[in-house]
Amino acid sequence: MASASPRPSHRRSLRTRRTLVVSAAAVAAAVGAGVLVMNANANPTVDLYHQVLPAKDGWAASGSGTTGGTKADAAHTFTVSTRAQLVKALGSATDTTPRIIKIKGTIDANTNDSGKKLTCADYASGTGYSLSAYLKAFDPSTYGKKAPSGTQETARKAAQDKQKKNIVFRVPSNTTIVGVPGTKAGILGGSVLVQNVKNVVLRNLTFADTQDCFPQWDPTDGSSGEWNSNYDSVTLRGATNVWADHNTFTDAPTFDKTEATYYGRKYQVHDGALDITNGSDLVTVERNQFLNHDKTMLIGSSDTDSTGKLRVTIHHNLWKGIVQRAPLARIGQIHLYNNVYDITTVNGYAPKYSLDSRAKAQVVAERNVWKTPADAKVAKLLSGDGTGSVAGTGNVVNGKATNLVAAYNAANSKKLKTTVNWTPALTTGLQTTVTSLLTDLTGTTGAGTLS
């Protein structure tokens, strides 16, 4: 992938993700204080592009709420189907003029302004980088256990910068980006960056196979070193009032199991799916599908991220084929309710844990549903460092009400705390009965289920 000629698996990665098959059953959309159920094809006059986050629908409803670009005029309403058109529609990240961007079809981020396909070899061209030379330069048996530096590391960074300029899309404040129904709308191989801006809406989009052509070897990461990549499908960094609704996040069609192993570690080209870091605040993540991914959602970039921020609501999402970080939460006040976790190994993605509360995170997890294999241990559904809290009741494992924290604490020395310093109040759509939640969310979440 990151050599003078692209690896076969990465050529395959450029294919468009096959659309998820969804039923014609109802789309559950949180409205007001309840849940309005409407057929996905029943109301063609619904204006997705001007919809705003309903009142009390999670943390993003705080303050003046999250409205995105609903006030956009005709001159700032765009329909785009190529990378170049998307870049033009986004404009400057510092321009706060409300804008609505309708994505029609799948945009391949690894293309140039003329629409020509770009490969990892194209980004490496002229930098002096080659994977074979990099592997030779930093072989742990000769280079040792220190951070890479020198000619090949400099060349790797240069090649990575070339790719970054092409695949990272910076979103300005007061922006709504929505996939046009029925067009398989989304971004392939791209990274949407919402950084130091406010009031952003992302809906009805598939974010697929965001790859870093040039992962860095870090021999100091863990006991054996790791390959680390650089791009999330969506990154919130210092962002405020963001609503992510009815999107699909997936590594497909390039699954981690197809990647090579170097120095005894997987050559990891995928980073996060949706990461919320660097003091981001007032975020609602609802009715998305997170599929086929390892490190899925990080809340808080480090144990010293911003105290008083990182307030995030995560509800009615489907997680399947997820290894870890669903989410990993630090510091903030995080509310998880009515999510479904299908703990099944899919396409080689074997689950480690679902929820990790650490660095004094204050998590309320209530009325979520886990579907696990018969031999799975409930104690392994959670994780923590001994400082994080997980409160909440009504969680269900394989149809049975289960105290997840008690199971985890019984098996671990670093206990999860069971009390938090806040009480959720923004809980639109919270269902107290979760009997049919797995079936309901399978057909009504993710991209392609809004019309």
Side-chain angles (χ1 to χ4, degrees), residues 294-298 319 322-328 353-354:
D294 185 354
K295 299 175 181 178
T296 305
M297 181 184 293
L298 179 65
W319 313 73
I322 298 305
V323 177
Q324 58 187 318
R325 299 188 181 180
L328 184 158
Y353 67 83
S354 298

Side-chain angles (χ1 to χ4, degrees), residues 148-329:
S149 64
T151 303
Q152 272 301 301
E153 174 58 12
T154 299
R156 185 200 66 81
K157 290 180 179 177
Q160 189 177 66
D161 285 345
K162 287 177 67 176
Q163 185 185 23
K164 180 179 180 180
K165 289 178 181 178
N166 218 75
I167 72 167
V168 175
F169 303 100
R170 295 180 64 96
V171 180
S173 293
N174 305 317
T175 296
T176 291
I177 307 177
V178 181
V180 176
T183 69
K184 302 180 183 179
I187 299 175
L188 176 66
S191 180
V192 172
L193 177 59
V194 186
Q195 180 172 346
N196 299 329
V197 298
K198 299 180 179 180
N199 194 28
V200 171
V201 174
L202 304 171
R203 305 182 76 201
N204 206 39
L205 295 164
T206 293
F207 299 97
D209 201 16
T210 301
Q211 292 190 29
D212 184 347
C213 280
F214 311 100
Q216 181 189 43
W217 171 247
D218 183 357
T220 67
D221 188 345
S223 59
S224 303
E226 292 290 352
W227 290 99
N228 294 316
S229 55
N230 200 38
Y231 311 111
D232 309 317
S233 292
V234 175
T235 301
L236 309 187
R237 190 176 296 151
T240 304
N241 285 100
V242 179
W243 180 30
D245 170 56
H246 281 93
N247 302 298
T248 297
F249 298 82
T250 178
D251 287 352
T254 307
F255 303 127
D256 285 353
K257 68 179 181 180
T258 68
E259 300 301 336
T261 297
Y262 301 116
Y263 307 152
R265 307 303 294 171
K266 179 68 70 175
Y267 191 69
Q268 180 57 266
V269 300
H270 300 118
D271 194 10
L274 170 57
D275 281 6
I276 304 166
T277 64
N278 295 80
S280 290
D281 200 21
L282 307 181
V283 178
T284 296
V285 180
E286 65 172 295
R287 303 185 188 277
N288 302 281
Q289 290 198 358
F290 295 92
L291 311 171
N292 303 307
H293 196 82
D294 185 354
K295 299 175 181 178
T296 305
M297 181 184 293
L298 179 65
I299 300 175
S301 55
S302 72
D303 290 355
T304 57
D305 206 321
S306 304
T307 301
K309 296 186 178 181
L310 299 170
R311 291 173 289 180
V312 181
T313 299
I314 303 167
H315 73 85
H316 290 92
N317 299 282
L318 174 65
W319 313 73
K320 185 174 183 178
I322 298 305
V323 177
Q324 58 187 318
R325 299 188 181 180
L328 184 158

